[in-house]
Amino acid sequence: MGSPGARRILLPVTRNIRIRVAYDGSRFFGWQRQDGFESVQQSLEEALESLTGDAVTVRGSGRTDTGVHALAQVANFHIDTHLDDNRLWHALNAHLVEGVVVRDLETCTPEFHAQRSAVGKRYAYMMELGRFRSPFSAGRATFVRGDLDVDLMRAGARHLVGEHDFTSLASAGSPRATNVRRIFGVHLIPRRAGLGIVVGGNGFLYNMVRTLAGTLIQVGRGQVEPDAVAEILAAKDRKFAGPTAPAEGLYLVSVKYPDGWRG
Amino acid sequence: MGSPGARRILLPVTRNIRIRVAYDGSRFFGWQRQDGFESVQQSLEEALESLTGDAVTVRGSGRTDTGVHALAQVANFHIDTHLDDNRLWHALNAHLVEGVVVRDLETCTPEFHAQRSAVGKRYAYMMELGRFRSPFSAGRATFVRGDLDVDLMRAGARHLVGEHDFTSLASAGSPRATNVRRIFGVHLIPRRAGLGIVVGGNGFLYNMVRTLAGTLIQVGRGQVEPDAVAEILAAKDRKFAGPTAPAEGLYLVSVKYPDGWRG
């Protein structure tokens, strides 16, 4: 209870907001803002600016390339607004362009940082198998002609689980202190006329999931022995792994945080 | 065995070819050819003409409207070609525009007629449920805000099974001798963040599946009692049924023929 003479003033307070975002990567030039190319980050920032009148920086858990989709990318931003979380959520979605949707929005602790706080990510690589590409899969899954031997792929995938130096699966990208990452699991999920590879880990190098997919496709075709996957990793040289599979099959599925919250 | 003097001449023979076709209805102005609007029929006929040099008429099992998809539309056409079925299949797909794929092709009996020989069809009506539309469902499923009570919908759907006059579910279209059709079954199939209605029958009136879907959505929302579906049919008047649900959720799943072949 305030003293009788105190005036209650509703001052805007800067809040740290975290969001889960789904987007169709085929509609954007990737996550990261770049002048002259429509990105997911830009579309979120422009929607927030048109809502609040202020320039807002939206920080994602990491970049995704052109064509790569997200079921739940996580991002955060600081904002001054009288809108409560629920109203801000609806208003933000109302201002967003087609192809990107904010699935959840909440005020979080000031310390939360979508990228630095993340402790794990999960990706799915979706393939359509068959003789002809279905008219419904373009931009949503990678078409792989013919069958893949899932048992061989599972045997190959086992060598990827655990802590390894993944230099062999990384395209040259931003230099990192270390190329060692921990893969929690690689699961092969057969679908009607398709196959998904779901990979969870504490971090991923540039193009790592797409190269992992390209390598396991070679294993599934019988072009590479399952046990050769261990040798590919041990070589620490990109040229031993399979090709980088196309972006259209890749989905960022979720991002994990230490408080148990999962984007 | 021919007599020694007989010369074997490979004369082109007119064959009756049946095909199963999948297409993304959001890319076409429906199945039926109409000048100035790209249709599925036209794209097949143009591909065949560019292959053979001859004008070919492709007859479908029935029309589909703009936006309506097919997993397996069936069509047939008569063609003179030296190509065997497998080569003709591949060549036809190579000449087709994006968004339509011939899934199977075979020479059939001269009597086969994709429309008149059909004895049943199956459709699926796909809905996405939730608070916000996913970026991946546009043109592939109908977005329905909020939840639907599937048990109520199943109770309502039971009244549709069997032989009935479906005038109440039909938009004014081409006049028919009778509006009596037999529905073999209506199945409600819950999906992650979605719901499908699968309907099989010996024939469907114009917009019947979409009006059936619109009516069951009202039942699922509690706006219409499940038992009222029987009264809606008995009224034989379109104005008692629910709205015509959008085309983007509708898929022609298969067409059935008396020889057991299923398109």
Side-chain angles (χ1 to χ4, degrees):
Chain A
M1 293 222 299
S3 66
R7 288 172 56 199
R8 295 183 63 221
I9 305 175
L10 268 169
L11 276 176
V13 177
T14 298
R15 281 139 66 200
N16 189 15
I17 305 279
R18 64 183 175 190
I19 54 178
R20 294 199 303 160
V21 190
Y23 48 85
D24 175 354
S26 66
R27 291 168 170 268
F28 297 95
F29 287 86
W31 166 266
Q32 175 135 355
R33 192 169 188 128
Q34 357 171 21
D35 280 339
F37 296 94
E38 198 179 7
S39 65
V40 182
Q41 184 186 17
Q42 180 191 347
S43 70
L44 287 161
E45 290 177 352
E46 286 180 353
L48 286 165
E49 186 165 347
S50 71
L51 257 176
T52 63
D54 298 325
V56 177
T57 299
V58 176
R59 290 193 179 79
S61 73
R63 304 177 192 182
T64 54
D65 283 338
T66 298
V68 176
H69 314 288
L71 302 181
Q73 166 73 287
V74 176
N76 74 300
F77 54 88
H78 294 85
I79 196 173
D80 292 334
T81 175
H82 285 300
L83 295 175
D84 67 20
D85 286 356
N86 196 48
R87 286 190 183 167
L88 180 60
W89 179 35
H90 282 79
L92 178 52
N93 271 319
H95 282 74
L96 273 173
V97 295
E98 234 181 294
V100 51
V101 170
V102 176
R103 295 177 55 183
D104 293 295
L105 179 151
E106 63 178 33
T107 299
C108 59
T109 57
E111 297 75 32
F112 180 83
H113 187 289
Q115 184 176 6
R116 286 199 291 265
S117 308
V119 293
K121 281 188 186 173
R122 185 178 290 171
Y123 284 95
Y125 196 85
M126 302 306 297
M127 290 165 279
E128 184 193 16
L129 309 178
R131 294 190 62 175
F132 287 110
R133 175 154 211 166
S134 137
F136 302 103
S137 73
R140 308 284 171 89
T142 295
F143 180 65
V144 178
R145 202 171 296 272
D147 293 322
L148 295 175
D149 186 318
V150 177
D151 290 333
L152 289 179
M153 293 172 81
R154 286 196 175 114
R158 271 198 291 270
H159 297 291
L160 300 165
V161 179
E163 199 164 87
H164 301 283
D165 184 313
F166 286 100
T167 303
S168 293
L169 298 184
S171 299
S174 337
R176 302 273 180 178
T178 168
N179 285 341
V180 173
R181 298 290 183 276
R182 172 171 292 279
I183 295 295
F184 306 137
V186 183
H187 297 281
L188 283 112
I189 300 170
R191 297 257 167 179
R192 195 168 69 97
L195 181 64
I197 304 172
V198 178
V199 193
N202 66 355
F204 292 88
L205 305 171
Y206 187 58
N207 275 347
M208 179 169 154
V209 181
R210 290 167 58 185
T211 311
L212 182 157
T215 305
L216 290 184
I217 289 169
Q218 288 188 323
V219 172
R221 283 180 165 152
Q223 296 165 331
V224 167
E225 291 288 319
D227 289 345
V229 173
E231 295 160 33
I232 289 168
L233 285 184
K236 296 180 193 169
D237 186 335
R238 171 69 185 81
K239 74 169 186 278
F240 290 96
T244 304
E248 61 180 339
L250 185 58
Y251 292 75
L252 174 56
V253 173
S254 63
V255 189
K256 209 177 150 185
Y257 292 92
D259 58 357
W261 189 76
R262 184 183 278 280
Chain B
M1 292 215 306
S3 65
R7 287 170 58 200
R8 295 184 61 222
I9 306 175
L10 268 169
L11 276 175
V13 177
T14 299
R15 282 139 65 199
N16 188 14
I17 305 279
R18 65 182 174 191
I19 55 178
R20 294 199 304 161
V21 190
Y23 48 85
D24 174 355
S26 66
R27 292 168 170 267
F28 297 96
F29 287 86
W31 166 267
Q32 175 134 354
R33 190 167 189 133
Q34 358 171 19
D35 280 340
F37 297 95
E38 198 179 8
S39 65
V40 182
Q41 184 187 16
Q42 179 191 351
S43 70
L44 287 162
E45 290 176 352
E46 287 180 352
L48 287 165
E49 185 165 348
S50 73
L51 257 177
T52 63
D54 298 325
V56 178
T57 299
V58 176
R59 290 193 180 81
S61 73
R63 306 176 189 181
T64 55
D65 283 339
T66 298
V68 176
H69 313 288
L71 301 181
Q73 167 72 288
V74 175
N76 74 300
F77 52 88
H78 293 85
I79 196 173
D80 293 332
T81 174
H82 285 300
L83 295 174
D84 66 20
D85 286 355
N86 195 49
R87 285 190 184 166
L88 179 60
W89 179 36
H90 283 78
L92 178 52
N93 271 318
H95 281 75
L96 272 172
V97 295
E98 235 181 291
V100 50
V101 170
V102 176
R103 296 177 54 183
D104 293 295
L105 179 152
E106 64 178 33
T107 299
C108 58
T109 57
E111 296 75 31
F112 180 83
H113 186 290
Q115 185 176 6
R116 287 200 290 265
S117 308
V119 294
K121 281 187 186 173
R122 185 179 289 170
Y123 284 95
Y125 196 85
M126 302 306 296
M127 290 165 280
E128 184 193 15
L129 308 178
R131 294 192 60 175
F132 287 110
R133 175 155 211 166
S134 137
F136 302 103
S137 73
R140 308 285 172 87
T142 295
F143 180 65
V144 178
R145 202 171 298 272
D147 292 323
L148 295 175
D149 186 319
V150 177
D151 290 333
L152 289 179
M153 294 172 80
R154 286 196 175 114
R158 271 197 292 272
H159 296 291
L160 300 166
V161 178
E163 199 165 87
H164 300 284
D165 184 314
F166 285 101
T167 303
S168 293
L169 298 184
S171 299
S174 338
R176 302 273 179 179
T178 170
N179 285 342
V180 173
R181 297 290 183 277
R182 171 171 292 279
I183 295 296
F184 306 138
V186 183
H187 298 282
L188 282 114
I189 299 169
R191 298 256 168 179
R192 196 168 68 98
L195 180 64
I197 304 172
V198 178
V199 192
N202 67 355
F204 292 88
L205 305 171
Y206 187 58
N207 274 347
M208 180 170 152
V209 182
R210 290 167 57 185
T211 311
L212 182 157
T215 305
L216 290 184
I217 289 169
Q218 288 188 323
V219 172
R221 282 180 167 153
Q223 296 165 330
V224 168
E225 291 287 320
D227 289 346
V229 173
E231 296 160 33
I232 289 167
L233 287 185
K236 296 179 193 170
D237 185 335
R238 171 69 185 83
K239 74 170 186 276
F240 290 96
T244 305
E248 62 179 340
L250 184 59
Y251 293 75
L252 173 56
V253 173
S254 63
V255 189
K256 210 176 150 187
Y257 291 92
D259 57 356
W261 189 75
R262 186 183 276 281

